[in-house]
Amino acid sequence: MGRKPCCDKVGLKRGSWTIQEDEKLTNFILNNGIKCWRVLPKLAGLARCGKSCRLRWMNYLRPDLKRGALTEAEEDQIIQLHSRLGNRWSQIAAHFPGRTDNEIKNHWNTRIKKKLKLVEQSKNSDKHVSKEAIDSDQLKLADDPIQDSNSSQNLSKSESEALNTDQSESFNSTIDEHSKQEDEDHQHWIDNVDYLLSWDGYTNLEDIFPFDKHI
DNA sequence: AAACAACGCAACCGCGGCGAC
DNA sequence: GGTCGCCGCGGTTGCGTTGTT
């Protein structure tokens, strides 16, 4: 049936993007918008596959991207959202204008995950320690900006389970009820965000972003 | 100063959903 | 209705940078 393959990858460049490629892609999208990623690189004069172009634009070149490290508040919010949404990075990223799913995913995998691991390790090594001790001092990490967010309520389901095996059932059920209500409220919010961030919004970029064409 | 390890980010890969044919 | 391709997503890898010995 009748569609052309996405890209045969023959003669296509891979690896890091050059400044010239970035300029070509940015200028093309700003002048023409995004209609079809498959044909875009050809029209823009790039020896890349559409997938690669899309990734570069979404994660690096988009003018509305927020640069710089994530703030503590953002980190806290990521942990909370992850506890509800799991590894749905695109949905989590939708709550952070200017942040990409890749950025958040990387942040989670490189930093937050590590902190949670440390929490779990400290828990395993101190199994004999009382629950009170775990809830207070044992969970605190040195220089940890998100220590307040490391409570079981803010961890993913599996992580919460791992951390809470020693804790009471009633405690968990209270959390479940609470987060159930939050889930409903949140889903409504997410639905609206998804609508606002639909691809139609990117086809007329110049109408949305007030920036110069020569980035 | 060199070698090695750890870290963090950018990019790639493979899969699933959805729509076109 | 079935097949195929595009798009988007999440997992993973590669590599440059930074820190440590």
Side-chain angles (χ1 to χ4, degrees):
Chain A
M1 301 237 172
R3 286 207 172 190
K4 293 172 185 173
C6 167
C7 58
D8 51 15
K9 292 185 180 179
V10 176
L12 293 182
K13 195 167 175 286
R14 292 177 59 190
S16 298
W17 282 65
T18 64
I19 295 169
Q20 288 76 23
E21 287 178 309
D22 283 346
E23 283 177 353
K24 273 187 183 179
L25 180 60
T26 304
N27 288 332
F28 182 85
I29 292 176
L30 295 186
N31 289 324
N32 302 285
I34 301 162
K35 277 118 189 169
C36 174
W37 284 114
R38 189 177 62 81
V39 299
L40 188 148
K42 200 172 274 182
L43 296 174
L46 290 163
R48 298 272 184 174
C49 75
K51 219 172 179 178
S52 183
C53 291
R54 179 188 159 274
L55 202 70
R56 184 64 176 172
W57 174 257
M58 298 294 283
N59 290 337
Y60 198 81
L61 298 175
R62 261 164 56 195
D64 61 328
L65 285 181
K66 198 190 282 184
R67 305 283 181 188
L70 282 92
T71 65
E72 292 178 19
E74 285 175 318
E75 204 172 61
D76 286 347
Q77 207 180 340
I78 289 169
I79 294 170
Q80 289 181 17
L81 289 168
H82 187 271
S83 70
R84 286 196 285 268
L85 300 171
N87 290 355
R88 297 189 184 96
W89 303 116
S90 61
Q91 286 186 37
I92 293 173
H95 294 76
F96 301 91
R99 300 293 188 188
T100 69
D101 54 349
N102 207 33
E103 186 180 11
I104 290 171
K105 180 174 60 181
N106 281 333
H107 190 77
W108 179 271
N109 286 330
T110 56
R111 300 188 193 186
I112 300 175
K113 213 172 182 180
K114 202 177 294 171
K115 286 174 183 171
L116 296 175
K117 205 173 183 180
L118 281 171
V119 171
E120 198 163 353
Q121 276 177 359
S122 75
K123 180 216 159 201
N124 288 336
S125 63
D126 296 322
K127 261 191 171 172
H128 60 285
V129 178
S130 67
K131 178 178 175 291
E132 287 73 22
I134 292 173
D135 284 340
S136 56
D137 291 338
Q138 295 297 320
L139 282 176
K140 289 180 182 172
L141 298 169
D143 300 321
D144 185 359
I146 57 162
Q147 54 182 245
D148 290 337
S149 303
N150 281 333
S151 70
S152 58
Q153 185 177 351
N154 292 327
L155 304 178
S156 72
K157 213 172 184 180
S158 58
E159 285 153 352
S160 292
E161 283 169 6
L163 287 170
N164 287 322
T165 48
D166 294 336
Q167 300 183 9
S168 69
E169 288 290 327
S170 61
F171 181 63
N172 285 333
S173 64
T174 306
I175 292 172
D176 287 345
E177 284 175 20
H178 176 65
S179 56
K180 213 175 207 176
Q181 176 59 42
E182 279 191 349
D183 277 346
E184 289 175 12
D185 295 338
H186 228 81
Q187 190 54 50
H188 180 69
W189 200 94
I190 290 167
D191 290 344
N192 289 334
V193 170
D194 287 342
Y195 167 73
L196 290 170
L197 296 179
S198 71
W199 262 113
D200 291 339
Y202 285 107
T203 54
N204 293 310
L205 294 160
E206 288 163 358
D207 296 337
I208 301 168
F209 306 117
F211 44 74
D212 294 338
K213 288 184 179 179
H214 51 65
I215 290 175

